[in-house]
Amino acid sequence: MDRTREHEPQPLDHLPVACTLHELSGEADRAQDAWFGGVNRRFEQLAGVARGELLGRSVRDVPGLICWDGDEWAGYLVETGGSGLPRKARCCLGSAGLVCEVVSFSFGPGMVLSMYMEAPGEAGVRQQGELEELEAFAEQLLQSGEELDYARLTDRLTVLAGARFGICDLYDAGERTVVTRHVAGLDGHEETARQWFGVEITGKTWPMDPQNMKRGRGSSVAVYPSLSALAREEMPGTFPDELLDQISRAFGLGEAVLFRIESRGKILGDFTFLLPAGKGLVNRQLIEMHVRHAGLYMARIRTEQQLKEQRDQLRMIVDLIPSYVFLKYADGEFILANRAIARAFGTTPEDMEGKKDASFHYTPETIRMFRENERRLIETNQTHVTPRQKMITKDGRTIWRRSTMIPYRVTDTARPVILGVSEDITEQVTMLEEIRRSRDEFCMLLDHIPTHIWYLQDPLTYGRVNRAHSDFLGKTPEEAEGRDIRRLSGNRWGEAFYANNRRVFDTREGLQAEETLRDGEGRPRRFHVVRTPKTGSDGQVETVICAAEDITVRKELEEQLRQQVYTDELTGIANRRRFFEEMERAVRLARENNTTVAVLYMDFDDFKRINDTEGHEGGDRFLVEAARRLERGLLPGGLLVRLGGDEFAVLMPGCGRPEGIRQARRIMEEFSRPWISGQNRWMMSLSQGLAICPEDAQTVDELMHAADQAMYRVKERGKAGFRTYSGGEAPAKGGP
């Protein structure tokens, strides 16, 4: 043992209570003496002795330093370390005989930590109530196996600190996450706090991301001027400053004091006190003592947990295995069973040990099968693997297991021992059966849906084909599977179909396209085809799944709808909407390509008289006849439209003045013959106005206005003729 460590830093110096750390000689339960392994500054002050005089010395070598109530000091420490239980006694320190309450407890193998607190009624003693609470806390802290009441501690410290609110955060140092949060001082404001933060702020739900928390600040206490300042430093990005300032104003908050508990570079917990505005922290020394006691408790609990994990490592690993793991004698008596098998039998591993497997939920037939398998195992002395074994439990359930049995030699018994690992594959067997059933149902479903489904082995070869597609081909699914698509389709589907197939195989990306396919009788149908590649582990396409919906009827309906939208209902020619859309496009292209557009605007001269004489039905017949004659006189490339009433127009993209004049003359020739309605003969005279873009106008509105003005000039001068916007006019007969 090294007894010359007086110059080493003492980790107990930061504690405000007097502390000593003793090392026991030999094994703890057979120790004969105790040695000073650590002394903090507070102990030096109370005992009136320097640590250099104590470190490395036996307690027997410093008589009179600590006097006990009739107990031998070394024996007290040895008994404490050997039992591992905390002990409490009274003693006198130093030559002044300062009376203290001392609490000692085991602090690891061969180590005892003692804490000395001045007893009531003696010099330098704190208030009686505070000391009693401190002792009660220390007793709770040192009770092995009991959890510290952090909520109660937080409430007490909040009162001692004179704080408006107190917050205790406990962390999982391994996972770096908030485990628990306790808040003191809410006093009925829980709902208000929940509305502010959007979550419950007590218990285990908290939106803070500990990854953003400050680590390793090196100080256990930090004071911030406000709640928002603390949040910016310790929890950046968690809450907006405006929200925290609003909370501070609502509750009159001022400074925020943070006490941090760290161990080996990891944060174990935080105590945060939100003080009233203009007031400082009260009872800081007592609060620090409580917080550091809590830190010692946390560190001790963590150390004990680590030791227990090391002792139970094998058992823990075995219990984590989802399969049944057990040791048993050849007659079925369990020596060891893991948690998985115990859970299956509704018991605990400890309860199974020493009992035979026949005591649990197996039928006599299953037990006989066990004994026979174990007998053969012992005789052959070889590992036996049963890949699939059916078992019946006592309650009639059927389970399936995969088992491995190994003969295991134990030196302290002559009875044969078997190590077994048994995996429950009931779910797998059930899943395989379900997969088979689902596959059959899926195939049946595929054969009863109208969507065409087929798989491609390669761009030219079918895999599986559902009935809708095979009927389209005029084949059965079996006749189509594995066949060349070109032969089955009569090579009538076009190269685009096969090009799309190759594209999906080459790019490994899905594709949607509208394609025309012909059925077994050669009739074309329009399909929306979706191709989805299925890749293997090597990333290559194994197959392409195709789903095709027959959209022939939909396309026909869309075309009918389009015709209705852009067609004049009475005459069957283009309507006003289509005219202006086409004119917008024509004017834009003319401007981009430096070409021209001609518009011929027409209005019948005597339509009102015809309509009044013949009636509305007669007027409609006149307009229909006019549309037919206009269609006959239309030059190639022109678009004839009815704008409304008896107004018509011709749009001529790429045409100039000569073509427009020629178009006007042809129309006038078509209307040189009268229209006969019953006993009436009507001359179908009309006035036409011609405008050219960009010569007469630059925009659609300007172009229509120019053509309209040209047409009205014809009407003003006698009707039955045509005129250009920037040129002359021509009568119904003769030249321009």
Side-chain angles (χ1 to χ4, degrees):
M1 178 186 304
D2 182 7
R3 303 176 185 174
T4 60
R5 300 180 300 168
E6 61 178 285
H7 300 296
E8 293 182 4
Q10 297 300 308
L12 303 176
D13 282 344
H14 68 283
L15 295 177
V17 295
C19 295
T20 58
L21 186 64
H22 295 94
E23 300 178 26
L24 305 181
S25 61
E27 298 295 328
D29 58 345
R30 296 190 295 274
Q32 300 299 316
D33 205 349
W35 308 83
F36 281 98
V39 175
N40 73 344
R41 289 192 178 91
R42 183 60 178 163
F43 183 88
E44 289 180 294
Q45 295 170 0
L46 295 182
V49 61
R51 72 176 69 176
E53 299 176 14
L54 298 178
L55 293 180
R57 298 180 63 184
S58 167
V59 297
R60 302 181 191 278
D61 296 337
V62 284
L65 177 64
I66 304 178
C67 298
W68 302 82
D69 291 344
D71 291 337
E72 182 184 4
W73 186 17
Y76 169 89
L77 295 176
V78 169
E79 183 178 350
T80 300
S83 66
L85 299 174
R87 300 190 64 198
K88 179 180 177 183
R90 292 172 66 89
C91 69
C92 296
L93 285 182
S95 58
L98 181 64
V99 179
C100 294
E101 301 282 353
V102 58
V103 179
S104 301
F105 58 91
S106 177
F107 197 69
M111 304 291 288
V112 175
L113 177 65
S114 298
M115 302 167 61
Y116 306 82
M117 292 157 283
E118 303 95 309
E122 303 298 330
V125 174
R126 298 182 180 86
Q127 295 180 4
Q128 175 70 25
E130 292 183 359
L131 182 59
E132 289 178 355
E133 290 190 22
L134 180 59
E135 288 178 345
F137 170 72
E139 288 180 1
Q140 180 192 17
L141 177 69
L142 300 174
Q143 288 176 356
S144 176
E146 292 190 10
E147 184 177 354
L148 183 62
D149 188 346
Y150 290 101
R152 180 168 167 241
L153 175 62
T154 306
D155 292 339
R156 178 177 181 274
L157 293 183
T158 302
V159 174
L160 288 177
R164 182 65 182 84
F165 297 109
I167 305 170
C168 172
D169 288 321
L170 305 180
Y171 306 111
D172 185 328
E175 298 295 332
R176 295 167 65 92
T177 57
V178 178
V179 174
T180 305
R181 163 161 290 202
H182 300 284
V183 181
L186 284 178
D187 300 331
H189 296 288
E190 293 86 350
E191 178 61 24
T192 302
R194 187 193 66 78
Q195 293 176 358
W196 266 330
F197 290 99
V199 294
E200 298 294 336
I201 68 169
T202 59
K204 294 188 178 181
T205 55
W206 188 245
M208 180 163 47
D209 181 4
Q211 296 288 347
N212 294 332
M213 292 178 58
K214 298 280 284 185
R215 292 297 193 218
R217 185 177 59 248
S219 174
S220 60
V221 183
V223 180
Y224 296 95
S226 64
L227 175 60
S228 58
L230 178 144
R232 285 195 302 271
E233 180 69 16
E234 300 294 337
M235 301 174 291
T238 304
F239 298 106
D241 289 352
E242 294 79 3
L243 172 62
L244 300 181
D245 290 340
Q246 180 186 358
I247 295 173
S248 298
R249 289 192 298 270
F251 289 99
L253 301 181
E255 292 183 343
V257 183
L258 172 67
F259 291 82
R260 175 150 291 171
I261 301 173
E262 297 181 79
S263 177
R264 298 181 181 179
K266 296 183 180 296
I267 296 181
L268 304 181
D270 285 335
F271 286 89
T272 306
F273 301 102
L274 307 181
L275 305 178
K279 294 187 178 181
L281 186 70
V282 182
N283 295 320
R284 172 168 176 165
Q285 187 177 22
L286 188 59
I287 292 171
E288 287 183 348
M289 181 181 298
H290 277 280
V291 171
R292 289 192 172 96
H293 273 77
L296 289 174
Y297 172 81
M298 294 178 190
R300 177 188 172 194
I301 293 300
R302 179 157 296 175
T303 301
E304 290 179 351
Q305 289 174 346
Q306 292 172 350
L307 292 174
K308 187 177 185 303
E309 288 174 359
Q310 292 174 1
R311 290 194 302 266
D312 298 339
Q313 183 177 13
L314 178 60
R315 184 60 187 250
M316 180 185 66
I317 293 174
V318 170
D319 281 342
L320 288 175
I321 298 175
S323 303
Y324 296 177
V325 179
F326 56 86
L327 278 175
K328 68 178 181 178
Y329 295 113
D331 61 358
E333 180 183 339
F334 284 103
I335 304 171
L336 177 145
N338 75 335
R339 196 169 301 280
I341 189 172
R343 188 184 301 112
F345 292 134
T347 183
T348 63
E350 295 75 16
D351 184 60
M352 292 187 66
E353 295 170 6
K355 294 182 180 179
K356 293 189 176 183
D357 50 18
S359 304
F360 301 98
H361 309 295
Y362 289 121
T363 61
E365 293 77 13
T366 302
I367 295 299
R368 284 194 292 271
M369 178 186 66
F370 285 169
R371 297 290 86 81
E372 179 61 26
N373 291 341
E374 292 158 358
R375 182 187 62 78
R376 289 199 302 267
L377 181 68
I378 298 302
E379 290 178 354
T380 60
N381 196 31
Q382 294 180 352
T383 300
H384 179 71
V385 178
T386 305
R388 181 166 169 171
Q389 190 174 43
K390 182 178 180 180
M391 301 179 184
I392 307 297
T393 62
K394 286 183 177 179
D395 57 2
R397 293 184 301 111
T398 299
I399 59 176
W400 295 86
R401 305 201 65 82
R402 180 188 295 114
S403 303
T404 300
M405 310 290 284
I406 304 172
Y408 189 76
R409 298 298 178 185
V410 181
T411 57
D412 60 352
T413 179
R415 299 168 66 185
V417 176
I418 297 171
L419 170 63
V421 179
S422 180
E423 179 184 2
D424 189 343
I425 60 172
T426 305
E427 185 175 351
Q428 298 177 23
V429 172
T430 304
M431 187 179 300
L432 288 174
E433 293 176 353
E434 183 65 26
I435 289 173
R436 294 191 189 96
R437 182 165 55 254
S438 297
R439 183 183 60 189
D440 294 340
E441 292 174 355
F442 178 69
C443 292
M444 184 181 300
L445 176 64
L446 287 182
D447 284 340
H448 287 81
I449 61 176
T451 302
H452 294 216
I453 305 291
W454 68 88
Y455 291 65
L456 295 176
Q457 298 177 4
D458 57 57
L460 301 176
T461 308
Y462 277 126
R464 176 173 173 77
V465 174
N466 79 334
R467 188 163 299 280
H469 193 59
S470 65
D471 290 346
F472 179 77
L473 297 170
K475 305 290 182 181
T476 65
E478 294 75 20
E479 291 174 339
E481 186 172 351
R483 296 284 301 279
D484 187 293
I485 301 175
R486 292 170 297 185
R487 292 187 178 182
L488 288 179
S489 65
N491 203 23
R492 296 189 298 266
W493 286 4
E495 182 57 32
F497 175 84
Y498 306 104
N500 288 339
N501 290 348
R502 284 190 292 269
R503 177 180 172 184
V504 175
F505 273 95
D506 293 341
T507 64
R508 290 173 287 186
E509 296 179 354
L511 178 66
Q512 298 188 38
E514 290 187 4
E515 303 174 26
T516 299
L517 308 179
R518 295 182 179 272
D519 62 15
E521 298 181 4
R523 293 171 298 192
R525 303 289 293 180
R526 194 68 177 167
F527 286 89
H528 178 259
V529 184
V530 179
R531 294 173 174 84
T532 305
K534 180 180 178 298
T535 58
S537 57
D538 59 354
Q540 298 301 313
V541 177
E542 293 181 344
T543 185
V544 172
I545 305 172
C546 303
E549 180 184 0
D550 190 335
I551 59 173
T552 305
V553 175
R554 190 185 78 191
K555 284 296 181 180
E556 292 173 350
L557 292 175
E558 288 176 355
E559 179 60 26
Q560 293 176 11
L561 180 61
R562 194 187 71 84
Q563 291 295 329
Q564 292 175 4
V565 170
Y566 291 107
T567 303
D568 180 65
E569 184 177 358
L570 176 63
T571 63
I573 63 176
N575 61 8
R576 184 183 189 90
R577 177 175 181 175
R578 185 180 175 189
F579 174 72
F580 280 99
E581 289 184 6
E582 294 290 342
M583 188 158 62
E584 286 276 3
R585 186 180 301 108
V587 170
R588 186 182 68 253
L589 292 176
R591 188 164 49 246
E592 293 173 354
N593 301 325
N594 196 25
T595 58
T596 59
V597 177
V599 171
L600 186 62
Y601 189 77
M602 296 168 282
D603 182 88
F604 285 92
D605 297 327
D606 297 319
F607 177 71
K608 184 178 184 306
R609 190 163 61 90
I610 295 172
N611 202 45
D612 291 343
T613 303
E614 300 288 341
H616 290 298
E617 291 185 2
D620 288 347
R621 291 197 306 274
F622 172 83
L623 293 174
V624 171
E625 174 62 21
R628 299 290 81 78
R629 294 191 184 190
L630 288 171
E631 284 182 320
R632 287 196 297 269
L634 187 65
L635 292 175
L639 175 65
L640 173 66
V641 298
R642 180 189 176 204
L643 298 177
D646 62 335
E647 296 178 353
F648 292 80
V650 176
L651 175 67
M652 293 174 283
C655 296
R657 190 179 308 278
E659 293 87 350
I661 294 174
R662 187 156 58 94
Q663 177 65 80
R665 285 175 174 172
R666 288 193 57 170
I667 290 175
M668 293 174 67
E669 291 173 0
E670 288 294 334
F671 287 94
S672 62
R673 303 182 308 277
W675 175 62
I676 300 174
S677 176
Q679 301 299 320
N680 299 324
R681 293 169 58 86
W682 299 96
M683 294 304 297
M684 302 177 70
S685 68
L686 72 167
S687 300
Q688 303 180 72
L690 177 66
I692 310 298
C693 174
E695 180 180 334
D696 300 327
Q698 301 292 325
T699 66
V700 170
D701 291 341
E702 292 174 353
L703 189 60
M704 281 299 297
H705 178 73
D708 180 70
Q709 289 297 310
M711 185 268 295
Y712 273 102
R713 289 175 187 171
V714 175
K715 286 187 177 293
E716 290 172 354
R717 298 189 181 186
K719 305 180 181 179
F722 75 87
R723 180 183 179 86
T724 63
Y725 179 73
S726 57
E729 65 176 297
K733 297 180 181 179

